[in-house]
């Protein structure tokens, strides 16, 4: 088994994440339209990137990883848990950050939204409060605790969305185009946040810079993984192929 | 009603939301049962003291809530002068003012989630007929969250249409807005799933136990 590189700054053995994510013979169709076909993969690396053209199937692949989408055929297992039959357990393990933070912030104020996930996990009030404080501090949102989420900048909203997921302490996090709506400064900031995560991450992106230092990058085309390897090989290959 | 909470650490802030709402309700009943100008003036002064001196709310936070109804209060007073007498008019106006200020103090010192939790608790008997009170609470919170967002989207669509020389036909705006909102709703649904909104068994126990305590 291959073990991924851990976040800079040590903690090499702090998170033992087990068997990783395994997709076997995955095929997915929306109605007649086949969106993914014949995908077999085992993801054990610390940081995995997914790139590919619009409509190639990246988001669908990402959604498979925490059971938001269940494959039409084939299986997806996260640390041995089947997303078809053990979806709750899978979702507790795998956090998901969407492209548009506005769609995933569901409570009116910053602190309330941070409390949402941990509260759903059934944690007691003290632990929920502790996690909220931790996230407010870590992502520079302490001054915005009781502010309407609505009034945050785009960058702050994305940080809040990420913090809302981290507050649930998942072992893995899937990001679907986390920087697409952000300006350059905020893109860098989010890239740094992802970089510093201890958790294993899968990042779908069109921002190829984000993948610097990643352990593995998959290229998706027409519902298939057409290239898979170190970013130094796959990214230039993809760029050349795109013309 | 969207961002009336004024952060603070006063006694009033820390009192449980349910208690505050109960006091507010009791005050309402008391004020409508009584009819002495002294009682009304006393109640108004008391709520002002609680709001400004105890809860340290800025005058503005209270004034904002009273402002929209000034005209109605003036009309009510005028009506009473014509139809009844000065005393009845004074009592009627002071009573409403006292209630308004009291309600303003409660909203300014209570977080939306705390308020929502009380509503969930009040709705808990509905569980017998299959309603999930926590869902009512979540829907309320989400309504407060998404109203400004949808308003923003509407404004942006209006601008885009104006920029293209569109007229101000409402229907023309409704369609793109509906499409945007529906598209977002799909992701919101997924986000709720991803964030464990459906992790029912554990959550229910915790919250019910806490509120019942
Ligand atoms: N819920 C759905 N119902 C029907 N078709 C869908 C659905 N979701 C995605 N599709 C289709 O599946 C294909 C792959 O979509 P997917 O979102 O996975 O692509 P993507 O690689 O993420 O694209 P992008 O870069 O534009 O985000 C697209 O043709 C899309 O139209
Ligand atoms: Mg996508």
């Amino acid at each position: 088994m291959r073990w991924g590189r851990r976040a800079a700054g040590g903690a090499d053995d702090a998170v033992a994440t087990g068997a990783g994510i395994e997709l076997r013979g995955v095929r997915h169709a929306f109605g007649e339209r086949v969106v993914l076909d014949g995908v077999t993969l085992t993801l054990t690396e610390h940081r995995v990137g997914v790139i590919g053209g619009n409509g190639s199937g990246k988001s669908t692949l990402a959604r498979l990883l925490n059971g938001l989408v269940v494959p039409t055929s084939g299986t997806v297992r996260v640390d041995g848990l089947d997303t078809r039959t053990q979806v709750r357990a899978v979702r507790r393990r795998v956090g998901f950050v969407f492209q548009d933070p506005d769609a995933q912030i569901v409570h009116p104020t910053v602190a309330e939204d941070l409390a949402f996930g941990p509260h759903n996990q059934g944690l007691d009030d003290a632990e929920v409060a502790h996690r909220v404080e931790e996230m407010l501090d870590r992502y520079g949102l302490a001054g915005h605790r009781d502010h309407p989420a609505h009034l945050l900048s785009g960058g702050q909203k994305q940080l809040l969305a990420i913090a809302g997921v981290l507050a649930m302490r998942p072992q893995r996090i899937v990001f679907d185009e986390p920087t697409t709506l952000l300006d350059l400064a905020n893109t860098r900031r989010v890239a740094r946040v992802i970089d510093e995560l201890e958790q294993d991450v899968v990042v779908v992106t069109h921002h190829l810079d984000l993948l610097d230092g990643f352990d593995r990058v998959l290229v998706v085309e027409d519902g298939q993984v057409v290239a898979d390897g170190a970013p130094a090989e796959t990214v230039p290959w993809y760029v050349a192929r795109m013309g | 009603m969207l961002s009336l909470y004024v952060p603070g650490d006063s006694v009033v802030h820390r009192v449980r939301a349910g208690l505050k709402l109960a006091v507010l309700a009791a005050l309402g009943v008391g004020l409508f049962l009584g009819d002495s100008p002294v009682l009304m003036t006393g109640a108004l002064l008391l709520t002002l003291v609680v709001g400004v001196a105890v809860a340290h709310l800025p005058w503005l936070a209270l004034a904002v809530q009273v402002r929209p109804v000034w005209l109605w209060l003036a009309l009510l007073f005028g009506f009473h002068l014509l139809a009844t007498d000065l005393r009845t008019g004074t009592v009627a106006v002071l009573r409403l003012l006292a209630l308004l200020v009291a309600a303003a103090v409660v909203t300014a010192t209570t977080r939306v989630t705390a308020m929502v939790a009380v509503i969930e608790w009040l709705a808990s008997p509905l569980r017998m007929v299959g309603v999930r009170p926590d869902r009512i609470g979540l829907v309320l919170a989400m309504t407060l969250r998404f109203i400004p967002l949808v308003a923003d989207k509407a404004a942006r669509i209006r601008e885009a249409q104006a920029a293209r020389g569109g007229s101000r036909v409402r229907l023309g705006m409704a369609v793109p807005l509906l499409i945007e909102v529906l598209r977002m709703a799909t992701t919101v649904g997924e986000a709720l799933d991803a964030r464990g909104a459906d992790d029912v068994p554990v959550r229910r126990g915790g919250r019910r136990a806490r509120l019942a305590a």
Side-chain angles (χ1 to χ4, degrees):
Chain A
M1 173 175 300
R2 275 193 294 167
W3 286 98
R5 192 161 63 76
R6 295 291 159 203
D12 266 73
D13 46 14
V15 195
T17 42
I21 302 180
E22 194 184 5
L23 294 86
R24 264 213 213 142
V26 166
R27 174 190 154 94
H28 191 72
F30 292 105
E32 298 280 274
R33 182 155 168 39
V34 178
V35 175
L36 284 178
D37 202 5
V39 178
T40 295
L41 286 170
T42 306
L43 306 175
T44 54
E45 291 77 9
H46 176 39
R47 282 185 275 172
V48 177
V50 179
I51 55 181
N54 289 128
S56 55
K58 305 180 298 298
S59 294
T60 309
L61 178 62
R63 282 166 162 74
L64 283 169
L65 306 183
N66 77 334
L68 283 175
V69 168
V70 174
T72 315
S73 62
T75 57
V76 180
R77 287 175 187 279
V78 176
D79 302 331
L81 301 164
D82 191 323
T83 61
R84 201 184 304 270
T85 53
Q86 290 159 296
V87 70
R88 288 220 169 94
V90 168
R91 286 194 186 141
R92 278 167 176 260
R93 246 154 220 274
V94 187
F96 199 101
V97 175
F98 296 83
Q99 174 180 327
D100 183 2
D102 266 329
Q104 60 191 311
I105 299 169
V106 295
H107 275 268
T109 68
V110 172
E112 288 166 344
D113 193 70
L114 288 173
F116 180 63
H119 184 78
N120 288 338
Q121 291 179 309
L123 300 170
D124 63 48
D125 290 357
E127 178 62 17
V128 172
H130 168 72
R131 294 197 183 182
V132 168
E133 292 311 311
E134 182 179 286
M135 288 303 141
L136 286 171
D137 275 356
R138 184 151 150 204
Y139 294 108
L141 293 167
H144 301 284
R145 176 193 314 267
D146 292 308
H147 288 184
H150 173 64
L151 298 181
L152 298 178
S153 73
Q156 286 170 328
K157 280 184 190 170
Q158 190 57 286
L159 289 177
L160 172 59
I162 294 172
V165 171
L166 285 174
M168 301 172 74
R169 305 223 175 124
Q171 284 101 322
R172 309 162 179 286
I173 305 183
V174 178
F175 293 84
D176 190 2
E177 300 195 34
T179 56
T180 300
L181 301 174
L182 303 181
D183 64 18
L184 189 59
N186 283 304
T187 296
R188 295 221 168 109
R189 177 132 195 232
V190 167
R192 217 173 324 123
V193 165
I194 295 175
D195 240 30
E196 286 165 0
L197 289 177
E198 268 193 6
Q199 283 94 340
D200 287 352
V201 299
V202 176
V203 182
V204 175
T205 186
H206 293 294
H207 283 162
L208 303 178
D209 306 353
L210 224 61
L211 306 175
D212 281 352
F214 268 47
D215 304 296
R216 181 174 175 188
V217 172
L218 312 173
V219 182
V220 181
E221 199 178 284
D222 286 334
Q224 311 209 320
V225 176
V226 292
D228 178 355
E233 300 152 21
T234 47
V235 173
W237 181 86
Y238 171 68
V239 172
R241 192 169 173 96
M242 286 282 130
Chain B
M1 173 68 213
L2 292 176
S3 51
L4 300 174
Y5 180 69
V6 180
D9 195 31
S10 74
V11 189
V12 190
H13 283 85
R14 278 180 276 131
V15 170
R16 291 175 49 176
L19 184 56
K20 277 186 268 192
L21 288 174
V23 169
L24 185 61
L27 183 73
V29 172
L31 290 183
F32 274 96
L33 288 179
D35 75 338
S36 99
V38 179
L39 175 69
M40 300 305 154
T41 313
L44 179 58
L45 288 178
L46 184 69
T47 51
L48 283 174
V49 166
V50 169
V52 176
V54 185
H56 305 294
L57 297 173
W59 284 100
L60 192 67
L62 302 178
V64 163
Q65 303 249 49
V66 177
R67 199 178 47 197
V69 293
W70 265 125
L71 187 63
W72 292 109
L73 290 177
L75 285 176
L76 180 69
F77 190 63
F79 167 79
H80 272 292
L81 282 186
L82 296 176
T84 60
D85 54 74
L86 180 65
R87 186 178 184 277
T88 319
T90 310
V91 166
V93 168
L94 286 177
R95 177 192 284 139
L96 286 180
L97 258 184
L99 267 178
L100 273 171
V101 173
V105 170
V106 172
T107 37
T109 58
T110 313
R111 282 196 170 78
V112 173
T113 21
M115 211 83 99
V116 164
V118 175
I119 294 171
E120 280 180 33
W121 178 74
L122 288 174
S124 51
L126 293 177
R127 200 180 282 120
M128 288 186 294
V129 292
V131 175
R132 297 205 7 214
D134 57 300
R135 286 297 146 109
I136 297 179
L138 182 59
V139 166
L140 283 174
M142 287 178 65
T143 306
L144 293 174
R145 154 79 182 121
F146 286 106
I147 284 173
L149 197 66
V150 173
D152 262 8
K153 285 194 188 295
R156 241 177 294 139
I157 289 172
R158 205 179 303 128
E159 278 166 22
Q161 292 190 337
R164 279 177 283 143
S167 65
R168 290 171 56 90
V169 183
R170 301 247 160 187
L171 196 62
M173 207 189 97
V175 175
L177 182 60
L178 192 66
I179 291 172
E180 269 214 48
V181 169
L182 286 178
R183 185 181 302 150
M184 192 167 71
T186 312
T187 316
V188 172
E190 286 184 326
L192 286 173
D193 273 351
R195 296 181 68 188
D198 223 16
D199 256 2
V200 189
V202 192
R203 179 181 176 190
R204 261 6 84 206
R207 181 174 280 207
R208 204 181 319 166
R210 201 174 79 236
L211 278 167

